Amino acid sequence: MNSELIRNDFPILKKECGGRPIVYLDNAATSQKPLPVLEAVYEYNTQGNGNPHRGAHVLAISASEAYDGSKEIVRRFINKRSPKEIIYTRNTTESLNLIARSYGETHLKKGDHIVITIAEHHANLVTWQRVAQKTGAVLDYIYVDKKTGHFLEKDLEKINKNVKIVAFAQVSNVLGIEFDPRPLIQRAHEAGAVVVLDGAQSAPHRRVDVQELDCDFFAFSGHKMCASGGIGVLYGKEQLLDDMEPFNLGGDMIEEVREQSTDFAELPAKFEAGTQNVEGAVSLEAAIRYLNEIGFDEIQKQERKLVTQAIQGMQQIPHIRIIGTENPEEKEGLVSFTVDDVHPHDVAEILSAVGICIRTGHHCAQPLHTYLGIYASCRASFYFYNTEEEVQYFLKHLRTVRSVMGYDD
Amino acid sequence: MNSELIRNDFPILKKECGGRPIVYLDNAATSQKPLPVLEAVYEYNTQGNGNPHRGAHVLAISASEAYDGSKEIVRRFINKRSPKEIIYTRNTTESLNLIARSYGETHLKKGDHIVITIAEHHANLVTWQRVAQKTGAVLDYIYVDKKTGHFLEKDLEKINKNVKIVAFAQVSNVLGIEFDPRPLIQRAHEAGAVVVLDGAQSAPHRRVDVQELDCDFFAFSGHKMCASGGIGVLYGKEQLLDDMEPFNLGGDMIEEVREQSTDFAELPAKFEAGTQNVEGAVSLEAAIRYLNEIGFDEIQKQERKLVTQAIQGMQQIPHIRIIGTENPEEKEGLVSFTVDDVHPHDVAEILSAVGICIRTGHHCAQPLHTYLGIYASCRASFYFYNTEEEVQYFLKHLRTVRSVMGYDD
Amino acid sequence: MDMNQLYTELILEYNKDKTNKRPVENPTLSEHGHNPNCGDDIVLQVKMKDGVIQDLAYTGSGCAISQASTAMMIELVSGRTADEALRLVHLFLDMIRGKITDESQLEELEAAVSLKDISKMPVRVKCAVLGWHTLEEALTKLQSKTVKSNK
Amino acid sequence: MDMNQLYTELILEYNKDKTNKRPVENPTLSEHGHNPNCGDDIVLQVKMKDGVIQDLAYTGSGCAISQASTAMMIELVSGRTADEALRLVHLFLDMIRGKITDESQLEELEAAVSLKDISKMPVRVKCAVLGWHTLEEALTKLQSKTVKSNK
Ligand SMILES: Cc1ncc(COP(=O)(O)O)c(C=O)c1O
Ligand SMILES: Cc1ncc(COP(=O)(O)O)c(C=O)c1O
């Protein structure tokens, strides 16, 4: 991987900060965008912008083509059969809310169970709390081993025939653990449950094949994988989507509207109300093309290298505690940690002063933090455009944190 | 207004089409975007992109500032007291769905009435059908005079004390009529009803003062007013918003999450789940600044000139029927019409072949079309960057439509 | 595309030909077809006798392409058996989808061959196929009814 | 901002000073305060006697700024009346909001004056005011209770 060439595509990485180019290690929160993506959006806006699916003129047609063309790229990206099964949303959060409302609230009843894991992002947790509350279903948790981050084997037994939904992140945004979701999916399907896979932290980093995974729903965000804000994806199996209530109502998702009743459009329009974010769709297509060109094998190789270097370096610094497994082979591009006696917010502040961007807080995973007995943590998350030199710089300054805070070890 | 200078800001208007620069008269569907807006987004992406409200580092801070700063501009744009009352959504459609779900579904009960007009866009119509269906409320219509497009005086009596919600568009996207919403709002408030104003077709064209209007909710879309796709606004009165259920659930809209329960954040975060479309917010700020610089008086003057010219020209062409009033003083930047014996789709096709973009179909207002006894119509909609020369060109080709279709009048 | 290539004389003629734009008396089946976004909306009525299409006509409104195409179809399939009509419908749909390379195959479609180039105008494809799809629906329903009543 | 300006010796000292990081025995009131996004989370406990703050301490966790600020506050207001404490809380909040131009006014805040420049770091403002806001809440509640029980 030619890091230098790649980094030329990301002007923001040259931004001066703390006396040197910024070191952006908050990629799990949102990624940066390469020039080809910015240019594709610019080109659309200066050559082809119109309202898709709503007119016969040349710009309405170019907008429709841009929008539908982008879906075809997404379809291939996750290896789906039909573009009908690809719904554009605003982000992972909206994708998950769509499932919760249009599937969860209408298909579950009192006494049914929903199983999620304690490591879920709030988007895949609070959503199910509401479904449980509205339907009378019960929300069960699969807990993880506090050291390794692996699911507790015995908790998998919670996936029994009362369970109607099993929802979990393919990669946890705190533990960063990369595990094989297939046994869980298989167990869920044997129990007759529907599987919701939160791909926010997996889709940006690795090839995803929803047919092979055989998950029923899959959600991810464009902004975490080099695309613009405001575009997300929901994949769902056609017969499930067909059988669901519409989500938002309005233009473009209708077949025929009368004063007192409405026939809804077919998939995917049924779930796409109002004027869509075509620029977002264009940027997502450009982002996927960009990532494909680099290649996911290369991306994973680079990230593995950086994570390994980071973990090995951190293990050498006293008073650093890595959250979850310390095996770099199991970490998907991110490492969460704490520094003894230094609050994560202070760690982030100290690093930010020298131009290093890491995330601090509960990372939208409060129940996991509570379970682990910490209130907050730090997270360094990498993407393919990060370099070994950046990790070195990060480690160097991480080493100073305790001394800045007045500890002399 | 210096049209030439302004048009230089819109590269797409120079696009060659049918042997000359494209004539874009589908602005009510979506507007084009000026360079300052595209540049603001580019600048954000190359200098300040991060995940807002989620971190302590410099890019998280610049993203938060961009996001919050944009809200302050929107607050001033519609003259609101508090930025807490400004919720960013994806578009008008989502804003209206938010009200319907988080207010309508929880505050209405069997026997309550909802009053809308027959001229509503599906986004402000199908939404209320669902509220009615879920709560047992009754959906009533205010009809319009088929000639003038004015509300039928006697139908206003439907706004009585059983009515809990009155929802209507400030400017109809088909009739284009510009009427004074205040008497309706007053009547609604006297009846104790909450007023939802759909500003999708008003905010782009005129100064809006929600305090003066005293509406309870106001919704509009960025993409119809020079901003990017994927950003919309919902304004709501603070005490109403406070008293509403959250809409989508997930990150950033929570105060504290436990395994089985959640405390939600305060306004406006409560309604903004997940990573927001910061680029959209940036583009909306840039768009409002751009429009303010031109000035809404200038914008209205130019549009009035174009509409007047269009209507007067169309009145001279045989077999053209204008929908709603023919008084240009009452038209807000758009004219819908039909051509005798020529289907609207064919009209649009013929004009598109010479580079003119107009809209054809039911414009997401099927009940209105049914009520008017037509299945579809054509619509030419103008924005400040359109010119008299373009209207002339449009009229010239509109005159040929029937002869292309083999009629010799 | 030049407008003269799209709105050919043949198409304009069929568009204006209202011979079969009328209700059918005592129809065996009425079938509704529409393209909501374009504003094409028709009701096709068919009267079968001894397995043959005895009368076929439509009401409603639509663009020149949809109207002409429907008129051409009615002329083509009237008097034919349901099976034969369905075969021609499929041939037409294949043509519009650009699936047929051997032009000689298309001769059977008579006037409707003139719609061949619509396959290059994605937005108009829906218009061109509306009548044919609606007939397909209608005949398929009739056949499954017949099968049922034969049981 | 240079880290040495933010994490001054004074702040680091107060951050490490755990004298008042402990539960209060038989508190009159416990009040929870938190900044979910930063991960500051404290419980402030106050014991009143004859209208005077007899004991004040906190438990929980937070960043150096929030911990030092809370420690400074406790030192400042202990032994004062509720009214007096509230006045100082408001003075501190005004300082952090950058509302006070006359520096001499701030002397009363003692060690907490050192947090003045936080007003230039919007993200840290929340940390600096956490303890003070929590005390404000607690005392306001106590006062309204007193009013009620006096009725
Ligand atoms: C009056 C009116 N309301 C609502 C909408 C919906 O706007 P959007 O598609 O941006 O959600 C539109 C435009 O399509 C409109 O004209
Ligand atoms: C695992 C996981 N799920 C869901 C989300 C929510 O994504 P978004 O904020 O783009 O909706 C995130 C990221 O914030 C995440 O890491």
Side-chain angles (χ1 to χ4, degrees), chain D residues 71-100:
Chain D
M72 290 167 176
M73 175 190 79
I74 290 174
E75 208 176 79
L76 180 68
V77 303
S78 293
R80 307 217 191 212
T81 64
D83 281 344
E84 184 62 7
L86 273 174
R87 192 182 60 78
L88 291 166
V89 166
H90 294 144
L91 183 62
F92 178 84
L93 295 177
D94 282 349
M95 174 184 83
I96 295 287
R97 290 191 197 111
K99 280 197 191 158
I100 299 197

Side-chain angles (χ1 to χ4, degrees), chain A residues 343 346 349 353 362 375 404-406, chain D residues 7 12 16 36 38-39 62 64 124:
Chain A
H343 190 272
D346 295 315
E349 186 85 67
H362 51 57
Y375 197 84
V404 171
M405 295 307 290
Chain D
Y7 298 116
L12 294 183
K16 281 191 205 149
C38 320
R124 300 315 289 264

